[in-house]
Amino acid sequence: MSFFKSLCLAIFATIFLTYVLGTSFIELLDVDVYVGEQLIEPLKAISISALVVVILVLVALAIAMSVFGSLIFVAMLVLGGGAMLLVGVFWPIFLVAGVIWLVTRDKRAAQY
């Protein structure tokens, strides 16, 4: 299925589900949406309720990502701290190994 076809199908499904679920929600709960003293039409009420749902989903996503993001950040800090601890403890061994490697490497292979 092409991207454009999938996009059109997704837009149609979203509009259809929003209309059907919004209409059934308004009829089931007998909700009337007023702005000031003026009654809002059902289609506009559906769009307002859909907008509210989208905002709530984005807020929930932000909260979930901040919690998981902070957990990932703490895990990376712990792993980085452990790596720095290992480097801090074993740096003389790394230094000696580097010097030995520099002294004993084959210099003719490096020229070619």
Side-chain angles (χ1 to χ4, degrees):
M1 189 176 282
S2 70
F3 175 74
F4 185 70
K5 224 189 230 185
S6 299
L7 181 66
C8 288
L9 186 62
I11 290 172
F12 176 73
T14 303
I15 291 171
F16 179 75
L17 287 175
T18 302
Y19 179 74
V20 169
L21 294 177
T23 303
S24 63
F25 174 74
I26 287 174
E27 290 177 4
L28 177 68
L29 298 178
D30 195 25
V31 175
D32 291 329
V33 179
Y34 288 93
V35 173
E37 295 181 7
Q38 186 177 6
L39 177 66
I40 302 293
E41 299 170 5
L43 193 56
K44 287 183 183 177
I46 292 169
S47 64
I48 290 171
S49 65
L51 182 65
V52 169
V53 168
V54 167
I55 290 172
L56 289 175
V57 166
L58 289 176
V59 168
L61 180 67
I63 291 170
M65 291 311 243
S66 67
V67 168
F68 288 120
S70 63
L71 289 176
I72 291 171
F73 182 69
V74 168
M76 293 300 289
L77 282 177
V78 168
L79 289 174
M84 291 299 154
L85 177 69
L86 289 176
V87 169
V89 170
F90 295 113
W91 73 266
I93 296 171
F94 294 144
L95 182 66
V96 171
V99 168
I100 292 172
W101 178 74
L102 285 173
V103 170
T104 60
R105 70 179 176 170
D106 188 14
K107 294 183 182 176
R108 283 189 228 152
Q111 290 174 357
Y112 296 111

